[in-house]
Amino acid sequence: MDSDSSSMDEEFLQEALVEQLTENEKRALHKYSLESLHHSEFITLVLEFKDIMKMDFIHDFTSLVRLDLNNNLIEKIWGLDHLTNLTWLNLSCNRIKNIEGLESLKKLELLNLAYNQISLLNNMDTLENLSHFFISKNLIRRTDTLLYLRRFKSLFKLSIAGNPLTEKDDRSLYVAAFFPNVTLLDNILIGQKMRDEAIIKYQIELKKFRPEELQAQNQIETETYYQQRASQILADFDKPDIQRRIEIKKLEDPELKKIKINKGSDEISQLCESLLNMEFELVGNLDCNIKLLESSISEIVFTSKDSASHNDLLETINETENQVTRVNDSKAALIKELQDKEEQRNRVRISDIHRYVDYLRKQLKDLD
């Protein structure tokens, strides 16, 4: 196959699709008429050992639930934006170096990236339903890189064997300590005995994550409170607004209609002001939560440092300082990530408010 051409020309793709059909499905193709194959009708697609280099052909398979492209020559993950029904994705045994292009796969439950060239775990934040993740035989060197996966609360099975980080004997205890929902690690069953041993071994390190998780819970509670307030504000506005529009439609006097429309416009302006004020208040409270998190992490670092005896501290001062430096670096990165995410959410919420207000104004204008 010409490496300069598309990784899979249409004729080759159609022939590969026919191979997956049952005999009855093949007969239904009107004597194997390849043109009658509709990509959007496929639920499962298995294209392994096809020397595929690019994924540019995949975007039309919008109904796919399962996609298997293992043992090919793929270097970049892309073209999956429209595959929003996908729950099973196998890209093992390729040449992938970076995890990317998965943002739309919110239903994904299984992701197999084993036997690639990946060294960093990132760009998977939207995979909230991920339960099976295979990243064995890659280039992950640092054990703490795995901590990115703590955000996946449904993660049940994890495969990491064959990475440089697994040269350490304690990887099972590390996962058992930091991933309370993972039950299978490289086909090793993590039982309660192993879990208890791991918690004891990593009890100091585990304390550093409690503020982060507490902040996440505080953020959820804060946003829930303001969502309820916003819902009440909108409910209080909607009922009289509907009644006002009904009355305006019935009016025949232009001057009276204009007065009612102007009053409606003023009410919409007040609604916009109330929602924006509440948004600014929400942002302020979330900023306070982030500052509390930063303070809590700092307190843990220095409490851990000060709790050691004088002799122990002299013997381990270099190790302690290195640990404090690592924690401070992690703290700064965490705070920056939280602030960036909140800034993005804030922009989206404000944009939603203005779009809704514009919609209300248009409705009112149409009555004039």
Side-chain angles (χ1 to χ4, degrees):
M1 181 180 296
D2 184 2
S3 60
D4 293 330
S5 64
S6 177
S7 61
M8 204 170 195
D9 61 45
E10 187 65 19
E11 183 177 356
F12 184 42
L13 173 60
Q14 299 288 44
E15 291 176 356
L17 294 178
V18 170
E19 293 176 4
Q20 300 181 56
L21 302 178
T22 65
E23 290 302 317
N24 288 337
E25 289 172 331
K26 288 178 181 178
R27 283 194 290 271
L29 279 175
H30 310 292
K31 296 183 179 180
Y32 305 160
S33 171
L34 298 179
E35 290 76 14
S36 60
L37 276 176
H38 298 291
H39 297 175
S40 61
E41 296 178 359
F42 279 79
I43 296 177
T44 299
L45 182 60
V46 180
L47 297 172
E48 54 187 11
F49 296 100
K50 299 293 184 183
D51 291 333
I52 298 171
M53 300 177 65
K54 298 180 180 179
M55 300 173 63
D56 51 354
F57 64 91
I58 207 70
H59 54 81
D60 292 330
F61 291 86
T62 53
S63 297
L64 280 184
V65 174
R66 174 170 176 160
L67 174 60
D68 193 339
L69 294 173
N70 74 82
N71 286 280
N72 283 291
L73 306 173
I74 297 170
E75 297 182 359
K76 182 179 177 66
I77 305 173
W78 75 294
L80 302 174
D81 293 352
H82 299 137
L83 276 61
T84 55
N85 295 309
L86 209 62
T87 63
W88 199 101
L89 176 60
N90 186 354
L91 290 169
S92 62
C93 301
N94 278 283
R95 299 176 178 178
I96 298 168
K97 294 182 180 179
N98 299 306
I99 300 177
E100 55 192 333
L102 304 175
E103 293 79 10
S104 299
L105 308 185
K106 295 182 179 180
K107 295 183 180 179
L108 199 68
E109 298 175 6
L110 182 147
L111 177 59
N112 191 343
L113 295 173
Y115 290 87
N116 277 286
Q117 302 169 30
I118 296 167
S119 58
L120 182 63
L121 301 178
N122 59 359
N123 298 327
M124 298 164 57
D125 293 20
T126 58
L127 308 185
E128 55 192 33
N129 292 306
L130 192 67
S131 60
H132 292 66
F133 183 51
F134 304 91
I135 195 68
S136 55
K137 294 290 184 178
N138 274 274
L139 302 176
I140 300 174
R141 300 186 178 281
R142 293 179 52 181
T143 306
D144 57 4
T145 303
L146 296 176
L147 295 176
Y148 175 83
L149 303 176
R150 279 172 60 87
R151 68 196 66 213
F152 304 119
K153 305 306 180 184
S154 299
L155 192 60
F156 172 82
K157 182 177 175 65
L158 176 63
S159 176
I160 58 174
N163 282 281
L165 66 87
T166 60
E167 295 173 2
K168 295 183 178 181
D169 295 333
D170 65 348
R171 75 177 189 274
S172 298
L173 289 179
Y174 187 87
V175 171
F178 289 95
F179 297 87
N181 296 317
V182 173
T183 303
L184 289 173
L185 172 65
D186 298 319
N187 295 320
I188 299 171
L189 179 64
I190 298 179
Q192 191 58 49
K193 182 178 179 181
M194 181 187 294
R195 192 87 65 186
D196 292 341
E197 181 182 350
I199 290 173
I200 293 173
K201 179 171 183 177
Y202 291 101
Q203 56 182 318
I204 295 177
E205 289 86 347
L206 284 169
K207 289 180 181 178
K208 299 168 190 172
F209 290 90
R210 289 172 187 165
E212 175 187 350
E213 292 164 356
L214 180 60
Q215 192 277 338
Q217 182 61 34
N218 287 340
Q219 180 165 328
I220 292 172
E221 292 175 356
T222 301
E223 291 185 346
T224 300
Y225 169 71
Y226 281 97
Q227 285 172 0
Q228 291 172 346
R229 278 184 57 186
S231 297
Q232 187 60 53
I233 290 174
L234 291 171
D236 292 342
F237 172 85
D238 282 345
K239 189 172 181 179
D241 181 62
I242 292 172
Q243 184 62 37
R244 178 171 43 247
R245 281 189 278 117
I246 293 174
E247 292 175 359
I248 292 174
K249 284 182 181 179
K250 294 179 180 179
L251 289 175
E252 296 181 359
D253 186 337
E255 289 300 322
L256 189 55
K257 179 179 284 190
K258 184 176 181 180
I259 292 173
K260 286 279 188 181
I261 289 176
N262 288 339
K263 184 177 180 181
S265 180
D266 291 340
E267 293 289 339
I268 292 173
S269 296
Q270 290 177 18
L271 172 69
C272 182
E273 184 178 355
S274 296
L275 292 175
L276 288 175
N277 285 339
M278 192 183 63
E279 174 60 28
F280 296 141
E281 185 180 337
L282 167 62
V283 171
N285 278 324
L286 291 176
D287 284 342
C288 288
N289 287 343
I290 291 175
K291 289 177 181 177
L292 285 173
L293 168 66
E294 185 175 11
S295 176
S296 297
I297 296 176
S298 298
E299 182 179 347
I300 286 175
V301 172
F302 291 110
T303 300
S304 175
K305 180 178 179 181
D306 294 340
S307 62
S309 68
H310 179 70
N311 291 334
D312 289 340
L313 187 59
L314 290 176
E315 293 174 1
T316 62
I317 188 168
N318 290 331
E319 180 183 352
T320 303
E321 289 177 349
N322 290 335
Q323 180 185 10
V324 171
T325 300
R326 288 195 300 271
V327 172
N328 282 335
D329 289 344
S330 299
K331 179 184 72 173
L334 171 62
I335 298 302
K336 180 67 165 58
E337 180 183 357
L338 291 172
Q339 290 173 333
D340 289 346
K341 287 182 177 180
E342 183 49 39
E343 182 179 348
Q344 175 63 25
R345 283 194 291 264
N346 175 243
R347 286 197 296 265
V348 171
R349 288 192 295 260
I350 290 178
S351 177
D352 288 343
I353 290 172
H354 285 299
R355 277 202 303 270
Y356 181 60
V357 168
D358 289 341
Y359 166 74
L360 292 175
R361 292 192 187 283
K362 184 179 183 305
Q363 277 191 320
L364 195 60
K365 184 178 179 181
D366 290 342
L367 296 175
D368 195 354

